[in-house]
Structure formats: C-alpha cells, structure tokens
Amino acid sequence: MAPDLFSVEDKIAVVTGGLGQLGRQFALALVDRGARVAVFDVRTDEALVTAHYGDRAGDAGLMFCEVDVTERASLERGLAAVVGTWGVPHILVNNAGLDSPPNAPAAENGPFESYPLSSLRKVLDINLSGVVLCCQVIGGAMAEAGRGSVINISSIYGLVSPDQRLYTYRTQEGGGPFFKPVAYAVSKSGLLNLTRYLATYWAGKGVRVNTLTFGGVFNHQDAQFLQNYAARAPLGRMAREDEYNGAVIFLAADASSYMTGANMVLDGGWTAW
Ligand SMILES: NC(=O)c1ccc[n+]([C@@H]2O[C@H](COP(=O)([O-])OP(=O)(O)OC[C@H]3O[C@@H](n4cnc5c(N)ncnc54)[C@H](O)[C@@H]3O)[C@@H](O)[C@H]2O)c1
C-alpha cells in the first residue's frame, strides 16, 4: 500500500479564528483526518463553542484557546497550552481575519478619500500584524523544532481590486455612496509578501510558508449581491464553505513538501479574466 501523501495523522495544528465560518471547516477537516487541532479565537466560552461546533466540541482531537492574535502574551499563553497538552505544532493556519469591523461607521463604506484611518489600523492590526505575531510566536516554535507548515489565508481582494460594480446597487438603494473599503484589500495583499519573506527566511529550518487565496464564500448574502457575484465569477457562483478544505489539507501534508513561498488561488476563476 502506498503511503498517503495527504496524511495529517498525528500532526498538531493551530487554526486561528477557528470559531468562524471557514476556521471551523479547517479545524474539523484536520481532526477528521487524525490531526489534533487547537482553535484560537478571541472568545471561546462554552456557549459559543457549542453554538459553533455542536456535538463536535467534545472531540478528543480538539482544544479551544481564548487567544487574541494581536497580543503577543495571549499567543504565548495559547502556545504554552498546546505544547503542554500535545507538543509543538506542525501546522499553523493563519485564518483569523476582519473585513469591516462590526458596527462600522457609515464612513467605512463611503468614499476612499474619507475612509477612517482608525478603521484601517484596526483591520491591519488583525489581518497583517496579527499574522506576523502568530508567525513569530507559533512559527518561531516550529522553526526551533525544525519542521512545520504555515498557511496564510488571503483573498481575491488581496490579489486584485474589489470590483466595485458588485456594490453599486447598495448606493442605489440609498443611504449614501457604498464602496468596498480599502483596508481588507491592502491587508490581504500584505500577506502575499509576508509569505515569501518567511518562506525564504525559514527555508533552512524546515518550515514551509504558503498563501491560500480564496474567492467569496456563500453565507446567505443578499440576493442582489449573490446575483452580481455569480455573473462576475467564471464558475457562476460563490464557493461552498467546505470547498477550501482540500487545499488546507494539501498544504498541511507532505503532498506539498516542495512548495514554499507560493500562492495557491481557489477563486472559481475570478482572477482568470
Ligand atoms: N468568507 C469569505 O468569503 C472569505 C473569502 C476570502 C478569504 N476569506 C478569509 O478567510 C478567513 C476566514 O474568513 P471567515 O469568513 O470564516 O470569517 P469569520 O468572520 O467567519 O471568522 C473570523 C474569525 O476570526 C476571529 N478573530 C477576529 N479577530 C481575532 C483576533 N484578534 N484574535 C483571534 N481571533 C480573531 C473571529 O472571532 C472569527 O471567529 C479570513 O482571513 C478571511 O479574510 C474569507
């Protein structure tokens, strides 16, 4: 029997933002294939974990750590919990992210010229500085152990500009001009070169670093948005929330052993035309 190139059996993984829509998918995809997964998220009280994971919350291969990726001390506590329970992680999925902050002021979706700098800083803090910190703390431990795979989660909006035509209907609906803001886009494009930087920095330490670039995921968006997105996407639809699991497993496993510093694009063809 040939060895399973895609095996993640007995690997230890950290998935940041693991209580979110995609983080939950990645955590369970890894656990279902024999990995042990520490979910890092800002809040991991029991009610919240149960709401997101249901019966799976009690899986032996899962642990939940209250960690803020923007705080080094918080990350160090999270890492210590994982190391104390299972050992040094082999896999880090930098998935935690923020699009527009909740309760965003109207200016947030207004013209670029008046986009609040405070909003830019908040998004960069989580999406870019947070990933840098996760790489310093968890990636650093992996480098010391001499092995590991870091997977940075980016977006089509980090590769190309948001297509503002998708959103013009919102302007027409009233309430002032609506634009997809700049912060998310620039934070996600920053990950592409962070990936290349760390891939070369850690190449001699056995830690591979790659980016996954995703297209939009269906999450009950409003009908007009879904129609506009589908018309713009070559595959004619948004992704299902489970359609990126295969890429995470591939990058976590030995199947991708010669891949580092790369960007793998799963976007239904969005950037192909
Ligand atoms: N959903 C999409 O359409 C889509 C498309 C492309 C890329 N992505 C990327 O995929 C990743 C996951 O997206 P999602 O849609 O599942 O988002 P989500 O909002 O459902 O989940 C994000 C999670 O990150 C957590 N988080 C936020 N700030 C944090 C912090 N400081 N410390 C720890 N955790 C924090 C949140 O609590 C949440 O559980 C993000 O990086 C996102 O940019 C998503």
Side-chain angles (χ1 to χ4, degrees):
M1 180 90 162
D4 179 6
L5 282 172
F6 295 88
S7 173
V8 289
E9 187 105 41
D10 295 330
K11 302 258 195 226
I12 300 159
V14 170
V15 177
T16 69
L19 288 195
Q21 187 186 16
L22 293 180
R24 177 183 181 278
Q25 287 290 321
F26 303 153
L28 291 179
L30 287 159
V31 166
D32 286 342
R33 287 160 184 80
R36 286 159 289 173
V37 178
V39 166
F40 283 13
D41 212 304
V42 266
R43 275 186 50 213
T44 55
D45 44 279
E46 205 182 324
L48 202 61
V49 168
T50 307
H52 283 90
Y53 280 79
D55 291 346
R56 300 295 310 268
D59 276 24
L62 271 175
M63 67 186 279
F64 296 89
C65 305
E66 198 160 295
V67 172
D68 183 337
V69 297
T70 67
E71 301 286 341
R72 190 178 176 108
S74 174
L75 275 162
E76 283 170 346
R77 280 195 299 276
L79 176 65
V82 180
V83 172
T85 311
W86 293 325
V88 176
H90 303 84
I91 301 155
L92 166 63
V93 187
N94 282 315
N95 165 79
L98 185 64
D99 201 341
S100 289
N103 315 317
E108 188 116 335
N109 293 307
F112 165 79
E113 289 83 347
S114 49
Y115 181 76
L117 217 53
S118 56
S119 302
L120 178 72
R121 289 193 180 112
K122 181 156 174 89
V123 173
L124 288 176
D125 199 30
I126 295 171
N127 292 6
L128 195 52
S129 306
V131 176
V132 169
L133 270 177
C134 287
C135 288
Q136 286 182 326
V137 173
I138 301 158
M142 291 173 166
E144 221 169 276
R147 80 290 185 281
S149 173
V150 177
I151 304 168
N152 293 326
I153 305 297
S154 188
S155 155
I156 45 173
Y157 288 175
L159 207 53
V160 294
S161 169
D163 186 341
Q164 300 292 356
R165 294 171 299 183
L166 259 68
Y167 306 95
T168 47
Y169 76 100
R170 294 195 59 170
T171 304
Q172 284 150 13
E173 278 172 356
F178 184 99
F179 295 95
K180 184 76 185 167
V182 65
Y184 183 77
V186 297
S187 71
K188 289 298 181 182
S189 59
L191 292 182
L192 295 170
N193 220 31
L194 174 66
T195 290
R196 290 185 279 260
Y197 180 94
L198 288 176
T200 57
Y201 181 78
W202 279 330
K205 299 266 189 183
V207 177
R208 299 184 295 108
V209 187
N210 292 289
T211 303
L212 284 178
T213 291
F214 295 151
V217 180
F218 176 74
N219 196 9
H220 308 282
Q221 290 91 343
D222 70 68
Q224 187 60 57
F225 175 82
L226 289 172
Q227 193 181 317
N228 292 355
Y229 193 99
R232 169 70 175 72
L235 287 190
R237 63 177 175 85
M238 301 193 86
R240 292 190 314 269
E241 63 183 11
D242 64 354
E243 282 187 297
Y244 300 138
N245 294 350
V248 169
I249 298 297
F250 167 70
L251 287 181
D254 285 348
S256 59
S257 56
Y258 198 56
M259 187 167 171
T260 197
N263 178 33
M264 202 169 146
V265 181
L266 294 90
D267 68 352
W270 189 268
T271 55
W273 59 18

